[in-house]
Amino acid sequence: MATPLKRVRGLGAAHHGTETFWRQRLTAVANVPLVIFLIWFVVRNAGASYNDVKACLASPVVAVLMLALIWSGAIHMRIGLREIIEDYLHNKLCKTASLMLATFFAALVGIASTLAIVKISFGG
Amino acid sequence: MTNKLEAERPLSPHLQIYRPMLTMMMSIAHRITGAGLAVGFALLTWWLVAISIGPNAYAYVQDFFGSLLGRALLFAFTWALIHHMLGGIRHLIWDTGAGLDKQTIEIFALATIIGSIVLTVLVWIIGYYAMGGL
């Protein structure tokens, strides 16, 4: 075979191959039912009292689905935000800083939401 | 030297050259709704954290969401979420290689716009009904 090995492996310039592309699709598929669940949950709890919403969130099924949504959503959001930044920001410093911020933001909302769900689940 | 070469390189026509088309607007809308959902995610986080803090924090968030600005944000969030979801399903269908002919693409675009508006209004009607507001 005359083809250079790096091309055969198909890992591209960033050496990550189609990993990001695939992860975006994987989380997209997961997000469809999870987003429908979120809409159902919010509509169901529209105008509900504090204790009712808290009790509903403390139910294991709701908590698991909510955690799945938060994690899948945060990963999907990080990929999407980075894609936009990579396409439109060309100043090296500005681009790098924005890419970092996108990850920090996804991590922040992900960690904060996770802690909230866990705290509510354990009755806090 | 390299700078000179870069400057003389022929450039492909950019966005402002083309007549706006529905499918092109849908592609832009998918990005804009996606970026907007980051704000929505922050709102969801705020809501969850407030519930985990206590009744006072929850009451504060509910007051904000009940205000005109809060409701406008939530309505925009609902539409962006549904639009991005339908647009995403469209992309997943394309990933299989199906639905890429000119006519289907136009149908998908229209279905995403109409579907997202109808579903958003429906969700809010059900929401208000559940609250006893209708």
Side-chain angles (χ1 to χ4, degrees):
Chain A
M1 294 279 276
T3 322
L5 189 58
K6 63 179 180 187
R7 289 204 186 162
V8 174
R9 284 184 177 151
L11 294 179
H15 308 292
H16 291 133
T18 54
E19 192 184 301
T20 305
F21 174 91
W22 176 247
R23 198 168 285 167
Q24 186 178 40
R25 265 63 184 178
L26 188 71
T27 49
V29 170
N31 283 342
V32 174
L34 292 171
V35 157
I36 293 170
F37 155 76
L38 174 71
I39 293 171
W40 169 82
F41 180 82
V42 172
V43 165
R44 192 184 172 279
N45 285 288
S49 74
Y50 174 72
N51 287 332
D52 287 349
V53 177
K54 203 178 165 189
C56 195
L57 271 173
S59 123
V61 177
V62 169
V64 165
L65 289 173
M66 208 54 118
L67 283 173
L69 170 73
I70 289 158
W71 282 72
S72 183
I75 293 166
H76 191 84
M77 177 177 73
R78 177 178 177 267
I79 295 170
L81 288 177
R82 286 173 63 92
E83 202 174 295
I84 294 173
I85 293 162
E86 282 160 356
D87 278 358
Y88 302 126
L89 292 181
H90 302 305
N91 175 288
K92 186 105 185 175
L93 183 66
C94 191
K95 182 176 171 174
T96 310
S98 301
L99 288 172
M100 287 173 85
L101 275 177
T103 299
F104 290 162
F105 176 71
L108 182 69
V109 291
I111 293 167
S113 304
T114 302
L115 180 69
I117 298 289
V118 169
K119 189 167 179 277
I120 294 163
S121 288
F122 288 109
Chain B
M1 181 68 185
T2 39
N3 280 341
K4 195 165 178 279
L5 278 178
E6 271 174 24
E8 284 170 3
R9 214 169 50 187
L11 295 169
S12 62
H14 203 41
L15 277 180
Q16 63 269 26
I17 300 295
Y18 297 106
R19 178 176 57 88
M21 286 176 291
L22 185 64
T23 46
M24 160 179 154
M25 290 305 165
M26 291 303 291
S27 171
I28 297 167
H30 197 66
R31 287 215 152 169
I32 294 174
T33 51
L37 287 177
V39 179
F41 208 148
L43 292 178
L44 174 66
T45 303
W46 185 26
W47 191 62
L48 291 171
V49 168
I51 295 170
S52 79
I53 290 173
N56 290 336
Y58 179 71
Y60 186 81
V61 174
Q62 288 300 89
D63 273 353
F64 173 74
F65 285 149
S67 71
L68 198 65
L69 174 68
R71 271 182 287 176
L73 272 173
L74 283 183
F75 189 81
F77 180 25
T78 315
W79 175 75
L81 195 61
I82 294 173
H83 190 278
H84 198 79
M85 183 178 75
L86 294 179
I89 292 170
R90 200 172 45 117
H91 271 284
L92 290 171
I93 294 169
W94 285 335
D95 283 344
T96 69
L100 281 164
D101 58 290
K102 231 168 148 182
Q103 205 186 357
T104 313
I105 284 177
E106 294 288 331
I107 294 169
F108 277 176
L110 278 172
T112 306
I113 298 172
I114 297 167
S116 65
I117 294 168
V118 169
L119 286 174
T120 303
V121 171
L122 203 65
V123 162
W124 277 70
I125 289 173
I126 297 170
Y128 270 112
Y129 185 76
M131 283 176 72
L134 284 181

